[in-house]
Amino acid sequence: MYYPGYPAAGYPPGYPAAAYGQPPPGSPAPGYGYSGYGYGGVPASQTSVAAAQAAAYPGYGQTASAPSRPAERLIVSGCRHETVGGIVRGDFALTSENHGKPVYKRNGQVNGLDVMLYFWDDRDGPNFCGWWFGPKVGGDQVWAYHPEKAGTPPLSGWKVPYDGPVDNTFILQPSAGSSQYPAPGQPAGAAPVPHPQQPPGYAPQPYPHPHAVHAAHHPYGHPAYGMHAAAAAAYGYGHMPGMPPGYDHQAAERQRADRERDSKRRDEDDKRKQQNRRDDAKRREEEAKKKKEAEQKAKDEAVKQKKEAEEKRRQEQKATLAVRRIIQKVRLATPDNIDEIQKELEDVLAQELENCGTQKARIKEESDKGLEQAKKRIETLMEQRKKEQEKKEAEEKKRREQEEKVKGLVQELSNLVDAAEGAVTKLKEVSAPLSEQGDCSIQEVEQCAVAAEQAGVDTKTAIKACTDFILARGPEMKDPTPPPLPAQLLPGQLPPASETKQILAKLLQRINDTGKSADSLILTARGAKQIAVRRAAARQKTREIEAIFNKYDKDKDKLLSQLEVRLYAKNEMSVIIDKDLMDRLWRCAVIEGEKGVPLERMYLLRASLGIAREMQRNEKRRATRIAKEKVVAALREKLRLKVKEVEVFAQEMEKDLVKVEEAVAPLLAQAKSTPLEEMDRESERCDKLIKASKDYAEKVKQRVKAIPQGFDKKYEEELRETTAVEAKHLNSTMGRTDMRLQRVAQLCARYQEQAAKRKARNTEKIRAFAMKVVRQHARVKGLSHEELFAEFNKNGKGEITEKEFLAFFESVDKEVKEEVFEDEAEKTEDGAEKSAFGTEAKEKAEAAAAASMLKAAQPKSMPGPPSQQPAPPKVLPPEPVELNATEVKRFFAAALEQGATKMSKKVFLRLVTVFYKVVKETPMTESLVVEGSKTVRQLRFGEVLECLEGPCKEDSMKVFRARARVLGGDDKEGWVTVAGNTGINILQEGAHLWKALRQVQLSASFEDLAPIGRRLREGEVLEILEWPRKHEESGLMRMQVKAKIDGATGWMDQINKEGVVLADPM
């Protein structure tokens, strides 16, 4: 039985026959083993066809399963390592095998290198066994490692780098479709497709056996068994005996004969058909067998070719690795083994080059290149070795020379040490007599001590010569270059010390020992000297006492009688002995029963006489003291009278001081309202009063100092205490007077400072107005600064005199007329309402233009938000000043350089130049017209500009603009709006005035940083004479300034080394 869209056996490919209600091919058919058609069995022809199909399609009737094999493509993702991640991430394709495992290669190179994924077995040790990422198979450079020995690359658990920790984000996964394998009958690499007659989603259902329908109607053995019900009725088998009446037997026989004949014919036809089917099945079996044999042969041939290709590739890889291993050795060759390795390379090339296959040319190129690089490297190494050898020989020569020099120095030091040791030996010999207890006189002891001291000095000199030699020549005696170390040193073993070091160590030890011995001998000699001197002095004193005793022992009885004692006391002790004193002496110095004083008790007699002599002297001193006290009492009274006289002068001084204080006290309160001329007169009067008071106080102070003078010098000590007590209140008064004078002097100085500040402000006001007059004159006549100077300097000598200065201001128009726009004049006439309306419109227009310029020139960083900057002041009209001759002269004198009487051109140009300070951030543009002008830069708050031209009218925005240059920065030039049309200042004149922010010393010149003595106080107003410029040596910004309060001129730092700003524009 065949079914459309299915093979001859009637089942889809790859599905077991049992799933369709049929036994698998080759099993016995149901129907009691009967092979005929119509009795429930499978026809033999059909069975043979199924068997042929099973033979033609291996796995027929079984579930399809693909054999396990590596994926064609892999995708690598993840990896935290910044460098390795960029190298290994990407698509990898299967390219070859290595050590029986697949090798993958990344699509595309990284930095000119391939990225390979391969397996390496344990031939180089278990630590090298596993999967690797590297630029080439078996190379020395690797990026990641996995110790797994599986047949395919592990999907996770990779170490990145190869000796680092496991990176859990490093993932391998097969690409979609890479693990599909072909079904039987499909070409390799093709995906399985449904049968052409099988609809998508078809689920095959079991089919019933076709003979089961016939077997269900008649039991086995019935003539109609196996016939369809209609056929059985046609043949008369519809009824059995016992049929209905009227049955025709002949007709039935005829019908039976016809049926037999037909049955026979059908049987023959069936046999013929069965035979045809058997022939067809046999033919198909033979064809399937031939096809299977052909396919198996082709498969075997393909496997053989694949094995041969793999073997060839393996041989190529083996040969390539063998050659590259030697090439690597060549690259690392040394001059000692280059010939041997080169021969080894030639041998391996001769043996393996032909086996490299397609890589033959590349391997040959690598070998030539490696050999060339090795030769160049060998040449470089040989050159280096040559240089090192020459350097080593030079160092060795230098070391030998220095060794000879060191040996000479060591020998010289050894001689000095020998001399020092000899001096110690001499000191020991010279000082030895001091320790001996001989009967030496003091002179002999002194002579011996002097000799010992001299020997000690000589010893110290010799030892000092040794130490000085070491200090002076010690660095030269050190080993300049240590000798080569021994070939082998045990772990922890130190190299042996050089002979020079050992000798030096011994010499130093000898020097130390010599110094210690010398110190010990000198100390011993000095102690022995003291003992010997005392012993000799005692012997000499004893002899002197014996001589005196013998001198007064007239009767030679070894005793001094009372008469002899009187003579001794009078002549030797200057003591007159009366009867009472004699009795006391006798009781003290004479033993009871003796007639006189023996020599042994002579010391008692001397002591008693000494006591008596002191008592007599005390009596004389007491009488002298009483007389002196009477004289001192008279002198003290005289001193008190002198103190009272000085007190009268002190009282007069107090009255003068009170007058000075009363005159100075109200000055500060009146400083603001007092005219300048009156302030000058008051300052001069107060200075005179203070000077007179100071002079008188100095005279009183001198009188106080003269109080203890004029007395006998021998009584100065006794009168000093009295003077301190009596003149104490005078000294206190003088101390308070000094402080009061200092206070009134400070008050006067502050008053004078206030006057000077008012003068400076007045002068600056005159200057501002005068310069407006001058600039107006130049603007009206169209004069440049040079031409304006010529207007002043009529004599053409290059300097302006005071007379020329006065003459100009006498002739010039002194009324300052501010420029205005025509519509502004009309606004004023039309009234306040129209003015307000116009102002609002202009404000909007100006704001829009400024916003567009700010947007175009917005800098990367701003100095601070506008809220942190002070609000810009409004434009005020110039305050009119009367430019009379006196004010002009004062202005002229203040503007001159220190010590000058005429105004130079430099000073004049500085006066007429306008310096602006930026009080509101604004853009600097290239042209006068605001609209469409390109921005040069954004001006920041606090920057200083030098006006080069203008201010000029800008009619479109109704503002005045000036061409200016930025000072102290990038020196950019451009046009800047001076003030908005709403009356708000953007630039403010007067940037030539600065204020000292810290106390700072002035110096004489730009290069000289030494102070000249003038210290600027914090808050003091300064005029810039030369703008800040960099001092190359110190890197500081320095500028020349002039103090407005007193005209002192000098140089100062604008910012110190710590970055502290010392001065800024006001």
Side-chain angles (χ1 to χ4, degrees), residues 146-163:
H146 199 299
E148 181 64 46
K149 300 178 179 62
T152 56
L155 302 183
S156 61
W158 289 85
K159 295 183 178 180
V160 182
Y162 75 94
D163 57 350

Side-chain angles (χ1 to χ4, degrees), residues 100-293:
K101 305 290 174 67
V103 176
Y104 292 85
K105 180 178 179 181
R106 186 181 185 274
N107 294 334
Q109 293 185 333
V110 179
N111 297 329
L113 297 176
D114 294 332
V115 184
M116 310 295 293
L117 170 59
Y118 63 92
F119 177 81
W120 195 266
D121 59 18
D122 58 357
R123 66 184 63 189
D124 294 329
N127 293 334
F128 297 94
C129 181
W131 289 90
W132 299 84
F133 277 88
K136 61 181 179 180
V137 177
D140 295 334
Q141 182 181 358
V142 293
W143 293 302
Y145 168 68
H146 199 299
E148 181 64 46
K149 300 178 179 62
T152 56
L155 302 183
S156 61
W158 289 85
K159 295 183 178 180
V160 182
Y162 75 94
D163 57 350
V166 173
D167 187 347
N168 293 327
T169 65
F170 193 105
I171 300 298
L172 278 68
Q173 57 184 356
S175 176
S178 63
S179 60
Q180 300 279 348
Y181 294 92
Q186 289 180 266
V193 296
H195 196 275
Q197 300 298 326
Q198 180 177 338
Y202 170 77
Q205 300 294 329
Y207 287 86
H209 197 277
H211 301 285
V213 179
H214 305 282
H217 289 76
H218 298 279
Y220 178 73
H222 190 274
Y225 176 83
M227 302 175 103
H228 194 272
Y235 281 98
Y237 294 125
H239 298 277
M240 296 297 293
M243 292 183 179
Y247 175 75
D248 188 354
H249 182 72
Q250 291 180 353
E253 285 294 330
R254 285 192 301 272
Q255 291 177 356
R256 185 180 62 79
D258 292 338
R259 287 194 300 271
E260 288 179 356
R261 188 173 54 253
D262 293 338
S263 175
K264 185 176 180 180
R265 187 172 60 250
R266 286 193 300 270
D267 290 341
E268 290 176 356
D269 290 341
D270 290 340
K271 288 180 180 180
R272 188 171 57 253
K273 290 179 181 180
Q274 289 178 2
Q275 184 63 37
N276 291 336
R277 285 196 294 270
R278 283 195 292 270
D279 293 341
D280 291 340
K282 184 175 181 181
R283 180 173 49 79
R284 284 193 296 270
E285 287 178 1
E286 290 177 356
E287 290 176 356
K289 184 176 181 181
K290 289 180 181 179
K291 182 178 180 181
K292 182 178 180 182
E293 289 175 354

Side-chain angles (χ1 to χ4, degrees), residues 498-531:
S498 65
E499 182 180 357
T500 303
K501 287 185 177 180
Q502 295 177 1
I503 295 173
L504 282 175
K506 292 179 181 179
L507 290 175
L508 289 174
Q509 184 63 37
R510 289 171 61 187
I511 292 171
N512 291 335
D513 294 343
T514 302
K516 292 178 182 179
S517 300
D519 293 338
S520 177
L521 289 173
I522 291 172
L523 291 175
T524 302
R526 289 173 181 172
K529 171 195 171 184
Q530 294 176 359
I531 295 173

